[in-house]
Amino acid sequence: MKDAAPQPIHLADYRPPSYLVEEVRLTFRLQPKGTRVLSTIRFRANPEGLEDGNLHLDGEGVRLISCSIDGAPLTAFDYLLTAEGLTVPAARLPEGAFTWEAEVEIDPEENTALEGLYTSNGMFCTQCEAEGFRKITFYPDRPDVMARFTVRIESDLPVLLSNGNPVASGAGWAEWHDPWPKPAYLFALVAGELVAHSDRFTTMSGREVALNIWVRPGDEGKCAYAMDALKRSMRWDEEVYGREYDLDVFNIVAVDDFNMGAMENKGLNIFNSKFVLATPETATDRDYDFIEGIVAHEYFHNWTGNRITCRDWFQLCLKEGLTVFRDQQFSADMRSAPVKRIEEVLQLRARQFREDAGPLAHNVRPDSYVEINNFYTATVYEKGAEVIGMLHRLVGADGYRAALDAYFSRHDGQACTIEDWLAVFEDVTGRDLSQFKRWYTQAGTPRVSARWARTGGTLKMTLTQELPATPGQPLKEPAVIPVALGLLAPDGTELLPETLVVLDGREAELDFDIAGMAERAGVAMPERVIPSLLRGFSAPVILDAPLSRADRLVLLAHDPDPFNRWEAGRSLMRETLLAMLTDGAAPDAALFEALATLLTTDTLDPAYRALALALPSEDDIAQAAHDAGMVPDPTAIHGVRRALQTAMAEALRPVLAALHDAMDPGPVYSPDAEQAAKRSLRNAALMLLARVEGPERAQARYDAATNMTDEMAAFAALLEAGDTQVAARFHDRWKGDRLVMDKWFMVQIAHAEPEQAVAVAQRLTDHPLFDWKNPNRFRSVIGGLTAGNPAGFHDPTGAGYRFLADWLLKVDAKNPQTAARMSTAYETWRRYDADRQELIAGELDRIAAAEGLSRDLGEMVSRIRGS
Ligand code: PHE
Ligand code: ZN
């Protein structure tokens, strides 16, 4: 018999807690099995509490040894204990304040879900967001309960860490005190044989902060870049947001087994080691870029997340959308802003638009969930950041800064809602944001259509918006859509410099006085006008604008907005690919000529040129085909994409060869944006040239590579060229390095011929280094197929679907979060033909029927399957 489906939790049911916590003292007697946790918690009745007055403490998988209230032991008749927690009825509780004490036992070594207290390669560490603290001890595990924590750790391990400042330590113990009230999800503890890469930081008011990055012995030489990123983040947050760090120490710990990227625990960030450890030999430029962005992200949470936290988990975007927006601003300041913007939009479309277009579409602020871990999504994070970007554009940089200052001073120390956040903007800027708020409460990607016509000296433009129905939301109200636009003449002359139009109804009519503009620009009346719409991707929408190929070529050559210039090339490529798919049309030479011009414009950032050269992904093409009313065929898509690459490589061969040689950044590696840009263009050229030249160039590059960026690029090019030796060579060199071997697993599957991909993945799961309990390794192999090789995953036999389902079931029993995240590979299933849909539905049903399925994976497959 299957258990009844778990019930959803609704935002509308939020009630303030009956009890608040004044102080928490915890003692950990660490053992791999049978760790004892002693807690002393000072409770006081919440004057605003609306609940029944019972004391409810969450607790899962913790064995209660004893408990007491105000020193009087409780017996089993004094409380109700279930698999979810413990309730002491109001009648058994003293009036006002009281002290709860408990001793519990937990088994960190058995904890394969990596939530709560667990072990990873002999070290103890914790992960409490969102609801992991309840696996450590009994506690009101909800973010609107904030308290000061004092922690004592008893263990023979040499390094014992927790949140806040160190208080005292001796042989076998250490004590920590965190002066800042925090919710339990920010609690952290680490114990292990660790070594530190240390540094110092002096804050804007002159306070000294000790900085440490803790890693396993042998890895201390791989922390310099993360440390540098941390110091730059600290300075940047002072300069741009006026935010200063607020403890004497800031610790980062790298762990090998971690479900996510990293976690912002107060004063003790815990990172997936892949986002900390880097040397030129082992990490790619992309890895460095991620390390910088994630170190910044977690650090920025200290104010947006920790000092001001979320009232409940429905408000997750309050901290995540804002912190992503902040880390994007930071990265744009550190590197090339246009390149960063293009990369953000690529990610947004690949992950968030895909989510919004399918069965998992949900609001930036969801209304309900079964398992909160399933809502750490691209919608909450990336669309949440886009919403703040729109707000920034609407109120201007000064209004934004004033609103943020007010937010920090008004809400410091509080657990807040989206309503609180918007109220600050309304109060500071005087703007009514009630309609803007729909971005938080309506799912789906709006479609904006632009139509225009000339009458005499006037251009009349109509903008309309349409919001698609999404699961549970058939009807929508118009959103507030900022559309940044400009107008160009066919020779590239800018007629109208960038202007912001706000579309807040279903339709808006705009009149542009072209005659006047031409006169001001000192040019003759142009025979046609080319709109450049949605500059900088000013809103997360799908734009439908009937620009001719000729218009797009003008934008590709001349748009002063770098984003739209790239976008013009992108849409030409997409159109070309669709035409190749439908009628086998050959790509037209004008596109290649325009690309050649762009590639040889030396004033353009090489990273930008590399992006212009990149084709839409197979998944993008599938979505575009679906949007155009076709049923995408993954095999055909793979074929036309390759054909276009080959045609491009043939047409651009001399240009690419010249770039390949010119973009050599020299023998001394640096991960900075300038060098990384050169390598990205050089390696993009290498990949294309390998299509038409044979493997010699890639072979030479592989043999000469002195950094992982070049080594991986050459490795991939050789795999594509059918080389059968390179994987073994790479393996022999790197088998001792976990993070590098993740790449080895991934790249072989991603660059396998589609018909071979499932077999390659299968074979790699038999490799002795395939450790499916390690989330990074699992994602390398399974994600290498589902995301890295879509044509292989969608193999018409259904072998890819079956492979995924088998692994999801296996992993779900040990680590539900990781299984649930990976299940999103099925979310696009409704795009495909009836045979494939039937195969996928069969796998989803098989998973759903499995015995002992987790709440995480259960919710995902039922939402993906739909009704
Ligand atoms: N809060 C983390 C971040 O965004 C993400 C995370 C969520 C990590 C849940 C672990 C568990 O930085
Ligand atoms: Zn975050």
Side-chain angles (χ1 to χ4, degrees):
M1 259 290 284
K2 289 212 64 208
D3 299 338
Q7 289 307 300
I9 299 168
H10 297 277
L11 169 59
D13 293 340
Y14 173 81
R15 298 288 176 275
S18 296
Y19 294 92
L20 301 176
V21 175
E22 283 174 356
E23 218 204 323
V24 185
R25 289 176 172 275
L26 300 171
T27 298
F28 287 81
R29 303 203 170 121
L30 292 180
Q31 295 295 336
K33 278 202 177 62
T35 284
R36 290 289 170 107
V37 185
L38 287 72
S39 58
T40 304
I41 308 170
R42 185 77 186 152
F43 283 103
R44 111 182 117 79
N46 181 8
E48 279 152 38
L50 295 178
E51 290 191 329
D52 44 24
N54 298 341
L55 176 68
H56 180 74
L57 305 178
D58 301 292
E60 283 177 23
V62 296
R63 196 160 69 79
L64 182 61
I65 309 280
S66 65
C67 61
S68 67
I69 286 182
D70 286 342
L74 302 189
T75 73
F77 302 104
D78 297 319
Y79 52 79
L80 177 71
L81 186 60
T82 69
E84 271 100 51
L86 184 154
T87 304
V88 186
R92 304 262 174 188
L93 295 167
E95 292 278 313
F98 57 87
T99 300
W100 156 272
E101 286 185 279
E103 179 167 359
V104 304
E105 193 174 274
I106 51 180
D107 284 335
E109 210 174 57
E110 303 291 303
N111 182 352
T112 56
L114 314 182
E115 195 184 44
L117 177 66
Y118 64 95
T119 58
S120 168
N121 290 321
M123 97 192 226
F124 290 84
C125 67
T126 54
Q127 173 51 46
C128 292
E129 187 177 5
E131 298 180 331
F133 192 75
R134 63 189 60 188
K135 296 179 158 190
I136 293 175
T137 192
F138 291 98
Y139 195 78
D141 187 9
R142 43 187 290 170
D144 55 356
V145 173
M146 300 174 80
R148 288 192 182 82
F149 282 63
T150 303
V151 176
R152 179 183 166 88
I153 310 168
E154 297 175 4
S155 161
D156 293 337
L157 290 163
V159 176
L160 308 174
L161 307 171
S162 190
N163 313 90
N165 296 318
V167 177
S169 60
W173 63 276
E175 273 179 30
W176 291 79
H177 175 71
D178 184 356
W180 300 103
K182 66 168 176 289
Y185 83 85
L186 291 172
F187 167 81
L189 175 153
V190 169
E193 250 164 72
L194 299 170
V195 289
H197 173 110
S198 303
D199 209 326
R200 312 192 61 73
F201 182 83
T202 309
T203 70
M204 61 204 273
S205 72
R207 286 208 357 269
E208 286 288 309
V209 182
L211 311 177
N212 302 297
I213 299 180
W214 297 93
V215 295
R216 290 199 282 152
D219 284 339
E220 57 274 33
K222 300 181 178 172
C223 305
Y225 190 73
M227 182 60 87
D228 180 54
L230 174 61
K231 290 190 289 181
R232 283 183 283 121
S233 305
M234 295 177 86
R235 191 61 74 213
W236 186 90
D237 212 15
E238 295 183 342
E239 285 169 358
V240 179
Y241 280 84
R243 298 296 108 200
E244 189 177 6
Y245 188 60
D246 54 4
L247 291 166
D248 303 336
V249 297
F250 187 80
N251 285 314
I252 288 177
V253 180
V255 306
D256 292 331
D257 299 283
F258 200 75
N259 283 336
M260 307 279 272
M263 179 63 210
E264 69 264 23
N265 316 299
K266 183 77 186 192
L268 179 52
N269 289 1
I270 297 182
F271 273 61
N272 186 325
S273 54
K274 89 188 239 187
F275 296 121
V276 175
L277 305 178
T279 65
E281 294 74 34
T282 59
T284 63
D285 290 324
R286 210 177 136 69
D287 294 328
Y288 278 98
D289 191 338
F290 270 119
I291 289 170
E292 178 178 86
I294 295 177
V295 166
H297 179 96
E298 305 312 330
Y299 175 73
F300 296 156
H301 268 314
N302 191 55
W303 274 94
T304 51
N306 301 5
R307 287 285 286 261
I308 303 180
T309 195
C310 304
R311 187 193 71 175
D312 53 71
W313 291 117
F314 296 101
Q315 321 295 330
L316 183 57
C317 63
L318 178 76
K319 74 176 176 81
E320 295 304 347
L322 177 53
T323 305
V324 172
F325 180 69
R326 276 152 52 68
D327 82 54
Q328 291 176 344
Q329 288 182 303
F330 169 76
S331 295
D333 283 356
M334 296 296 128
R335 292 163 182 254
S336 149
V339 166
K340 276 284 154 196
R341 186 62 186 144
I342 293 166
E343 288 172 353
E344 284 159 24
V345 175
L346 281 169
Q347 276 300 309
L348 185 80
R349 285 178 173 153
R351 298 174 51 231
Q352 200 280 323
F353 281 23
R354 168 181 153 119
E355 184 166 71
D356 242 355
L360 298 176
H362 57 273
N363 304 342
V364 171
R365 182 174 72 180
D367 294 318
S368 72
Y369 59 77
V370 170
E371 171 51 63
I372 185 58
N373 284 327
N374 289 336
F375 284 82
Y376 287 77
T377 60
T379 297
V380 170
Y381 276 66
E382 269 78 39
K383 188 175 178 184
E386 290 298 318
V387 171
I388 294 175
M390 287 189 285
L391 208 45
H392 185 280
R393 212 181 261 272
L394 289 170
V395 305
D398 294 343
Y400 175 82
R401 175 64 203 261
L404 267 284
D405 287 347
Y407 177 64
F408 291 122
S409 60
R410 189 186 289 182
H411 292 297
D412 188 11
Q414 296 178 4
C416 296
T417 60
I418 288 304
E419 282 74 14
D420 295 327
W421 162 255
L422 290 175
V424 170
F425 275 81
E426 292 193 320
D427 295 349
V428 169
T429 67
R431 248 185 134 93
D432 175 1
L433 294 172
S434 45
Q435 189 188 345
F436 184 83
K437 190 180 167 189
R438 289 175 189 156
W439 281 109
Y440 289 99
T441 59
Q442 297 189 140
T445 309
R447 280 177 184 274
V448 173
S449 305
R451 296 290 180 271
W452 56 89
R454 266 288 270 291
T455 36
T458 306
L459 182 80
K460 280 195 173 302
M461 185 184 286
T462 311
L463 296 177
T464 51
Q465 62 168 302
E466 219 182 304
L467 287 91
T470 49
Q473 283 186 353
L475 295 172
K476 317 259 163 138
E477 298 294 329
V480 178
I481 301 179
V483 181
L485 59 83
L487 298 173
L488 273 70
D491 66 354
T493 307
E494 184 158 57
L495 295 169
L496 173 70
E498 188 165 314
T499 305
L500 188 67
V501 172
V502 179
L503 173 62
D504 55 8
R506 299 221 178 256
E507 191 173 298
E509 299 266 357
L510 312 168
D511 281 350
F512 297 102
D513 169 19
I514 304 300
M517 288 173 191
E519 200 179 306
R520 277 190 297 278
V523 295
M525 240 325 237
E527 89 278 11
R528 74 180 206 280
V529 177
I530 304 160
S532 163
L533 297 160
L534 208 68
R535 282 186 169 174
F537 206 65
S538 57
V541 301
I542 294 167
L543 176 66
D544 162 28
L547 290 161
S548 66
R549 280 186 82 78
D551 288 346
R552 276 181 250 222
L553 286 166
V554 172
L555 294 176
L556 175 59
H558 301 292
D559 200 317
D561 178 60
F563 177 82
N564 265 13
R565 192 170 176 191
W566 167 82
E567 178 84 321
R570 187 82 174 174
S571 72
L572 284 168
M573 284 182 176
R574 197 181 303 119
E575 214 173 79
T576 302
L577 287 159
L578 286 184
M580 290 166 78
L581 264 181
T582 44
D583 46 32
D588 103 51
L591 173 60
F592 299 149
E593 276 159 33
L595 281 175
T597 308
L598 196 133
L599 287 173
T600 51
T601 306
D602 289 333
T603 49
L604 284 175
D605 181 346
Y608 182 82
R609 288 184 264 165
L611 284 169
L613 203 51
L615 293 180
S617 71
E618 290 176 27
D619 197 58
D620 283 348
I621 303 167
Q623 184 63 42
H626 174 78
D627 290 345
M630 300 158 59
V631 177
D633 172 353
T635 314
I637 288 171
H638 180 79
V640 295
R641 190 169 182 275
R642 274 182 156 248
L644 181 55
Q645 277 173 335
T646 306
M648 262 168 74
E650 265 155 11
L652 298 172
R653 187 164 171 173
V655 174
L656 293 170
L659 280 175
H660 180 269
D661 297 342
M663 289 295 142
D664 183 352
V668 183
Y669 178 93
S670 156
D672 61 42
E674 206 181 313
Q675 271 207 11
K678 286 187 171 173
R679 278 188 291 272
S680 69
L681 183 52
R682 183 170 209 230
N683 290 332
L686 175 72
M687 282 304 273
L688 285 172
L689 287 168
R691 275 288 147 69
V692 289
E693 271 185 345
E696 298 75 21
R697 188 189 298 264
Q699 192 65 63
R701 290 287 309 282
Y702 188 82
D703 294 340
T706 57
N707 62 73
M708 188 48 68
T709 307
D710 290 344
E711 194 169 333
M712 280 309 294
F715 186 3
L718 287 171
L719 286 171
E720 292 256 331
D723 185 303
T724 52
Q725 312 290 310
V726 62
R729 274 181 74 191
F730 190 98
H731 175 276
D732 289 345
R733 169 140 193 232
W734 293 112
K735 54 183 181 292
D737 189 306
R738 266 182 183 249
L739 295 174
V740 176
M741 285 307 283
D742 287 336
K743 301 179 195 300
W744 180 81
F745 278 95
M746 161 96 81
V747 74
Q748 292 180 78
I749 304 168
H751 291 278
E753 288 299 330
E755 321 77 73
Q756 302 295 320
V758 177
V760 171
Q762 210 115 42
R763 178 167 57 69
L764 287 173
T765 60
D766 293 332
H767 190 280
L769 289 176
F770 178 66
D771 170 10
W772 57 272
K773 291 181 189 154
N774 175 260
N776 291 355
R777 187 61 45 90
F778 178 73
R779 275 191 291 263
S780 295
V781 172
I782 312 302
L785 180 69
T786 60
N789 199 323
F793 176 56
H794 290 285
D795 188 274
T797 62
Y801 307 147
R802 200 156 51 241
F803 175 81
L804 176 61
D806 288 344
W807 278 104
L808 292 183
L809 285 168
K810 181 156 178 176
V811 168
D812 189 51
K814 298 281 180 195
N815 185 335
Q817 270 188 56
T818 293
R821 300 206 128 232
M822 200 55 81
S823 72
T824 57
Y826 291 125
E827 78 183 316
T828 56
W829 70 293
R830 292 281 190 197
R831 273 186 202 154
Y832 296 98
D833 54 87
D835 290 346
R836 285 191 171 88
Q837 288 197 27
E838 200 182 311
L839 289 164
I840 297 177
E843 298 302 338
L844 291 169
D845 293 345
R846 176 160 75 94
I847 297 170
E851 202 71 43
L853 195 65
S854 71
R855 183 168 60 194
D856 306 60
L857 186 57
E859 178 185 24
M860 293 301 279
V861 294
S862 105
R863 286 166 64 209
I864 294 171
R865 183 72 167 90
S867 39

